[in-house]
Amino acid sequence: MYEIIKNKIVHAVTIRRVVYGILGILLVYLIGSLASGYFETRADYKRTFEQLERTQRALDESRKLNQQLKASIAASQQLNSDAGRRIDQAQDYQQQTGAGIERLETNQRETGARIGESLEHLDAARGEIERGLELVDRIERANKTQQTDRTAP
């Protein structure tokens, strides 16, 4: 019976060793898997963090560009507004110039008509002066003939 018990104990110890060996191997495998997972997760975290930093830098740069674009748009709107006002002013000047030209043309027509009337009056006055001179000349001739008639007897 000693042999049976001894064999059973040796067999139990051997089984225990095999079980402990298997458990040890499983424990080493589990620790290795956990360590591998930890390192992979850490690398993923690091890559994710770096990507997040790149994204944040790109977002900051995008915000700067957006601010510059807004400033450029505001400046462009101001320039467009100024150009619109200048175009309106030019149109006003053009209208005023057109009205001035119309007034000038009207004044020229009126002046031309007045000059025409004045020339007609001058012609009439010249005719009157010529008739007056003829009359004066006839009177002087008549006076001369009367004087020669008085002195001739």
Side-chain angles (χ1 to χ4, degrees):
M1 179 126 180
Y2 173 73
E3 279 298 317
I4 294 175
I5 294 175
K6 183 179 170 189
N7 281 338
K8 285 188 179 183
I9 291 176
V10 168
H11 184 59
V13 168
T14 306
I15 291 176
R16 223 185 256 160
R17 282 186 184 169
V18 169
V19 169
Y20 285 145
I22 291 173
L23 286 176
I25 290 172
L26 286 175
L27 183 64
V28 167
Y29 177 75
L30 180 66
I31 290 172
S33 294
L34 287 174
S36 173
Y38 169 77
F39 289 124
E40 286 177 15
T41 303
R42 183 171 170 91
D44 286 344
Y45 173 78
K46 192 172 186 178
R47 282 192 301 272
T48 303
F49 188 75
E50 289 171 353
Q51 180 64 31
L52 179 65
E53 286 178 339
R54 283 193 301 273
T55 304
Q56 184 64 41
R57 284 191 299 271
L59 180 63
D60 291 341
E61 190 172 319
S62 175
R63 284 181 180 152
K64 287 178 185 176
L65 289 174
N66 193 19
Q67 288 174 348
Q68 291 173 349
L69 182 62
K70 284 181 182 179
S72 177
I73 288 171
S76 175
Q77 288 174 340
Q78 180 64 35
L79 289 174
N80 285 342
S81 175
D82 290 346
R85 281 195 304 274
R86 289 192 177 122
I87 287 171
D88 290 343
Q89 286 176 347
Q91 288 174 345
D92 288 344
Y93 291 147
Q94 201 171 28
Q95 289 174 353
Q96 290 173 1
T97 302
I101 289 172
E102 287 177 16
R103 283 192 307 270
L104 180 64
E105 288 173 349
T106 302
N107 289 342
Q108 283 178 340
R109 281 192 298 273
E110 289 175 1
T111 303
R114 287 183 186 147
I115 288 173
E117 289 175 14
S118 295
L119 288 175
E120 288 174 9
H121 291 299
L122 281 175
D123 286 340
R126 179 178 297 130
E128 292 294 322
I129 290 173
E130 285 176 356
R131 275 183 254 134
L133 285 174
E134 286 176 15
L135 182 63
V136 168
D137 194 34
R138 273 188 272 148
I139 292 172
E140 284 180 355
R141 273 186 272 138
N143 279 342
K144 279 185 185 181
T145 42
Q146 281 180 359
Q147 282 181 1
T148 52
D149 286 344
R150 287 188 197 160
T151 55

